[in-house]
Amino acid sequence: MQFTIAAVLALAGAAAALPSPTGHTLHEKREASSPKWVKRDKLPSDAIIPMRVGLAQRNIEQGHDFLMDVADPDSVNYSKHWTAKDVVEMFQAHPETVDEVKDWIKSAGILENNIQLSRDKGWLEFSATTHQAEKMLHTEFYDFEHTTTGHTATACDEYHLPKYIQGHIDYVEPGVTLLAPRKRGTPLEKRTEHPHRRVKTVEAPDLAPGKFVHDLTTCDVSISPQCVQALYKFPNGTKADASNAMGTLSWTLVAQHLLTLVQGIYEEGDFYDQADLNKFYANFTPYIPKGNHPVLHGIDGAKAPVSVKNAGGESVLDFELAIPILYPQKTYLFQTDDSYYANQQVYDALFNTFLDALDESYCTYSAFNETGDDPSIDPTYPDKHKNGFKNATQCGVYKPTNVISVSYGEQEGDLPVNYQKRQCNEWMKLGLQGVSVFFASGDDGVAGPPGDETPSGCLGKNHKKFSPAFPNTCPYITNVGATKVYPGHSVNETQPESAAYDPAGHPYQRAFASGGGFSNIYPVPSYQQAAVSAFLSNHTPPYKSYPGPGNASFGQDGGIYNRDGRAYPDVSANGDNIATYTNGVFGLSGGTSASTPIFASIINRINEERIAAGKKPVGFVNPVLYKNPSALNDVVNGTNPGCGTKGFSAVEGWDPATGLGTPNYPKLLDVFMALP
């Protein structure tokens, strides 16, 4: 589904195709549907629909200031992070909001004992017949079918709310959002790229991995752990505080939940195998003993590892990058869902089962005999399928970690604005709790993935406008772009890396360029304003731009990017020609999916030193990084092409191809250790 900024959502005050019912106002409207979604039959009037009403949160407009208070290095409250309880109490809906919305729901004939307030106090949840839901929202619900996947979803084209209640509600589900399941390859198709996983792999059986291990002169051919260490100047690890185990998160969070993760490796439908890790250790990191493996936190019947022939390159890559940086610190694997759900379909909202396992407040309600997160898009447990997990959804069984690395994503144009903003606020709440969240910036330069509702992955009627990534433009996460050591360059150079770019077929099937650009939703955050202004003033891109995020100026005067939007990436790390073993075969992998766990692992190493010194984890790092750009290796070469352009150039200072640059561990350590 494509939502351009000029026609993302018609909110209150926007013109509707039909007049609003008396006393009501249009709340959300889908102006344009992807041709991949076809409206089918109207829902029967007696069909049961699980409903969720997102309650307007108190004090949410102060969230940015609250976060800067604990994340800005100049603040007297730096690193004085909040507890999860603090967060809930600060932002939970006002009692008046809960009462007003509950009364409105009851007025549609829903019994009070069937209306549940979620434990995070952010949602009212209930089940309604189609007739009741349509009467409440002055709309009609239909089944929509995704022609590529065959998935069906319940949705409406628009809905209305009473004027007196609108200010109490963010949005209603199901509503105008259409999400399709994201299918993964079967074990026999393990090389198939996940459509939203930011990683690319090519086999290289003719290369002899042994020659690359300690010979740093070949880092322009294959990036080994020794190359990563030489590039970013970190020593071998020696510490392993029990509170600081590392992991990588690899899925796009959905908006309807609060999140209180800290750090872990999340996988779904893609599995690591021990044989590949052992072979990697033997060839590249003999100081890591054979058999070293992540600690499995299996969720809802998930199991790992698997046999070498059934392993996936995504999970294996995560651990082959993270473990050499972190060892002897442990890594944790959050593997979700039983074999039926993991191997058959991955739903956009499947991340919910992960959230449930970390904090019981994310487990949802039971009403009208409907149990689970959202049966229309989430796995339902107990699973009645063969080999399914026969117990109830696991709730609050695992403790989160300190750093999260996420290697999945979509595009801003794929989802409604309200949906994205609500999720963005959840990342803000994580930052308040001292969590560092890193996202892969994307692999398509200034565009989205080809075929992401347009052949080019670009926006606008002519498919020429740049397409910012989701949730990367949220100002409360740290985006990691990709760099590359091009042929003929050496890690001994002052700066051997450039923005990563590989034309189609050299060596990956489709072109790879480090993702970057400007948001169409969020303005430039305060911590980034000086850096972005300097880029636009001193290195003005050779393209027309349009002003102001979130308004009707999208594409104004032929502009193809929004010069006033939140800019990304924030930083970068090597993400091309990464040495890996998958399915027993040596190969090279690339993508911002590789860059992200590298940067996240280095931050985790800094947390290790701070904890040893009696200090807190670093939490949200952007304010510190933007005030200390000299602690990173500035990247000044390369571009990130897309949409028929060369994209943005890597230049001196921050740029939307490589951000502030790559990590310099000694300098970053000095900066963070000097802070309280």
Side-chain angles (χ1 to χ4, degrees):
M1 163 124 23
Q2 185 176 1
F3 292 84
T4 64
I5 201 63
V8 168
L9 292 172
L11 300 176
L18 296 173
S20 298
T22 302
H24 289 66
T25 187
L26 182 68
H27 194 67
E28 286 192 295
K29 179 179 180 179
R30 187 188 322 103
E31 294 285 354
S33 293
S34 162
K36 294 181 181 179
W37 283 103
V38 178
K39 184 187 288 187
R40 298 302 189 191
D41 295 333
K42 188 179 182 302
L43 257 62
S45 62
D46 59 351
I48 300 297
I49 307 175
M51 305 288 293
R52 294 164 53 85
V53 179
L55 302 174
Q57 301 173 82
R58 284 191 299 176
N59 305 311
I60 201 69
E61 70 283 353
Q62 300 179 60
H64 175 272
D65 292 341
F66 289 149
L67 181 57
M68 293 306 104
D69 188 48
V70 299
D72 190 318
D74 295 331
S75 170
V76 295
N77 292 318
Y78 176 80
S79 80
K80 295 180 181 179
H81 302 127
W82 296 21
T83 66
K85 182 180 179 181
D86 292 336
V87 170
V88 171
E89 291 179 351
M90 177 59 70
F91 297 109
Q92 67 185 8
H94 193 283
E96 179 184 350
T97 290
V98 177
D99 292 341
E100 290 276 4
V101 177
K102 184 178 289 187
D103 287 344
W104 168 65
I105 295 171
K106 290 191 296 183
S107 71
I110 309 300
L111 297 178
E112 184 167 6
N113 62 355
N114 287 325
I115 304 171
Q116 303 292 325
L117 178 65
S118 63
R119 292 189 184 97
D120 60 26
K121 306 184 188 306
W123 296 83
L124 282 173
E125 302 160 321
F126 59 97
S127 290
T129 65
T130 303
H131 175 73
Q132 289 171 321
E134 291 181 340
K135 182 180 178 181
M136 288 176 61
L137 301 173
H138 291 272
T139 190
E140 293 183 334
F141 282 101
Y142 288 82
D143 279 328
F144 287 77
E145 181 179 3
H146 195 276
T147 56
T148 300
T149 66
H151 178 60
T152 60
T154 296
C156 58
D157 295 325
E158 64 181 44
Y159 65 90
H160 302 77
L161 295 175
K163 292 178 180 179
Y164 77 91
I165 207 75
Q166 187 184 32
H168 294 294
I169 294 175
D170 283 346
Y171 61 91
V172 178
E173 295 178 337
V176 300
T177 304
L178 290 171
L179 295 174
R182 306 303 182 186
K183 294 188 177 182
R184 295 186 185 271
T186 65
L188 294 178
E189 299 170 324
K190 51 190 168 289
R191 291 286 176 194
T192 303
E193 292 181 13
H194 184 287
H196 296 285
R197 170 75 176 187
R198 287 159 177 177
V199 64
K200 300 167 178 292
T201 304
V202 59
E203 291 185 1
D206 296 332
L207 296 179
K211 69 177 287 190
F212 301 129
V213 175
H214 298 294
D215 185 358
L216 296 180
T217 64
T218 60
C219 294
D220 59 337
V221 179
S222 174
I223 294 291
S224 66
Q226 289 72 23
C227 296
V228 175
Q229 190 169 24
L231 285 168
Y232 307 135
K233 300 178 174 61
F234 56 88
N236 288 340
T238 59
K239 296 180 176 66
D241 188 279
S243 69
N244 196 48
M246 158 75 186
T248 306
L249 185 69
S250 306
W251 187 253
T252 303
L253 176 68
V254 293
Q256 60 259 42
H257 290 281
L258 287 168
L259 181 62
T260 57
L261 311 180
V262 191
Q263 180 167 345
I265 293 186
Y266 170 92
E267 299 293 349
E268 166 56 53
D270 188 271
F271 307 89
Y272 87 93
D273 71 286
Q274 190 62 49
D276 279 326
L277 292 184
N278 289 342
K279 188 171 287 189
F280 187 87
Y281 301 153
N283 280 276
F284 291 101
T285 56
Y287 58 89
I288 300 177
K290 178 181 179 180
N292 182 278
H293 61 83
V295 178
L296 174 65
H297 281 350
I299 300 170
D300 296 334
K303 297 179 180 180
V306 296
S307 66
V308 65
K309 69 177 181 179
N310 290 326
E314 299 163 355
S315 298
V316 170
L317 178 66
D318 283 334
F319 292 113
E320 290 176 350
L321 285 167
I323 290 175
I325 298 174
L326 298 167
Y327 184 81
Q329 180 56 273
K330 293 179 180 179
T331 56
Y332 279 84
L333 167 61
F334 292 99
Q335 188 88 40
T336 68
D337 294 303
D338 63 24
S339 59
Y340 173 79
Y341 284 113
N343 290 326
Q344 297 301 316
Q345 292 182 328
V346 176
Y347 296 88
D348 283 86
L350 194 58
F351 195 66
N352 293 352
T353 56
F354 179 47
L355 301 179
D356 292 338
L358 291 182
D359 191 319
E360 66 177 357
S361 70
Y362 305 132
C363 289
T364 54
Y365 72 116
S366 296
F368 281 75
N369 298 316
E370 296 285 351
T371 301
D373 292 290
D374 184 338
S376 67
I377 55 176
D378 289 314
T380 300
Y381 296 106
D383 181 2
K384 298 179 181 179
H385 297 95
K386 183 179 179 180
N387 299 321
F389 182 59
K390 303 307 180 185
N391 297 323
T393 297
Q394 291 182 286
C395 300
V397 295
Y398 298 123
K399 183 180 179 180
T401 52
N402 286 332
V403 177
I404 304 175
S405 175
V406 187
S407 294
Y408 285 85
E410 301 190 43
Q411 303 303 115
E412 276 189 351
D414 292 335
L415 294 164
V417 171
N418 279 4
Y419 190 94
Q420 297 182 57
K421 286 186 174 180
R422 179 141 181 149
Q423 180 188 88
C424 184
N425 286 331
E426 309 316 318
W427 297 118
M428 174 269 293
K429 295 171 187 176
L430 269 180
L432 280 172
Q433 296 172 69
V435 179
S436 304
V437 182
F438 296 88
F439 266 89
S441 70
D443 293 349
D444 299 284
V446 296
D452 184 53
E453 313 308 342
T454 68
S456 66
C458 302
L459 301 177
K461 293 182 179 180
N462 296 322
H463 304 166
K464 298 293 185 181
K465 294 177 175 59
F466 296 172
S467 176
F470 160 84
N472 305 79
T473 55
C474 171
Y476 307 128
I477 61 177
T478 304
N479 290 275
V480 186
T483 54
K484 176 179 181 177
V485 178
Y486 281 83
H489 289 272
S490 166
V491 294
N492 295 319
E493 298 173 19
T494 302
Q495 176 48 290
E497 297 184 272
S498 300
Y501 171 61
D502 296 314
H506 303 279
Y508 310 112
Q509 183 175 1
R510 63 180 176 89
F512 162 44
S514 179
F518 297 82
S519 176
N520 283 324
I521 296 175
Y522 307 100
V524 179
S526 58
Y527 62 77
Q528 191 187 49
Q529 284 178 345
V532 174
S533 294
F535 170 77
L536 293 173
S537 297
N538 301 330
H539 308 281
T540 305
Y543 319 116
K544 291 183 178 180
S545 64
Y546 50 91
N551 59 36
S553 67
F554 175 77
Q556 180 177 302
D557 299 326
I560 61 174
Y561 75 95
N562 180 5
R563 64 176 177 266
D564 295 330
R566 193 285 206 233
Y568 74 101
D570 301 294
V571 294
S572 52
N574 199 281
D576 209 355
N577 295 327
I578 306 294
T580 181
Y581 272 98
T582 306
N583 312 117
V585 178
F586 176 71
L588 301 178
S589 187
T592 52
S593 181
S595 312
T596 308
I598 290 176
F599 205 105
S601 296
I602 288 174
I603 293 299
N604 204 73
R605 286 285 301 273
I606 292 173
N607 278 341
E608 203 79 59
E609 298 300 326
R610 282 181 57 87
I611 291 170
K615 299 185 178 187
K616 300 288 186 64
V618 296
F620 180 52
V621 297
N622 289 15
V624 174
L625 298 182
Y626 278 92
K627 286 190 174 182
N628 295 275
S630 61
L632 295 110
N633 305 312
D634 195 10
V635 180
V636 297
N637 294 303
T639 61
N640 57 350
C643 301
T645 73
K646 293 182 178 180
F648 297 110
S649 297
V651 297
E652 183 178 351
W654 178 89
D655 57 73
T658 61
L660 295 167
T662 60
N664 184 312
Y665 178 81
K667 292 182 178 181
L668 286 171
L669 182 62
D670 287 345
V671 167
F672 282 107
M673 291 304 292
L675 295 173

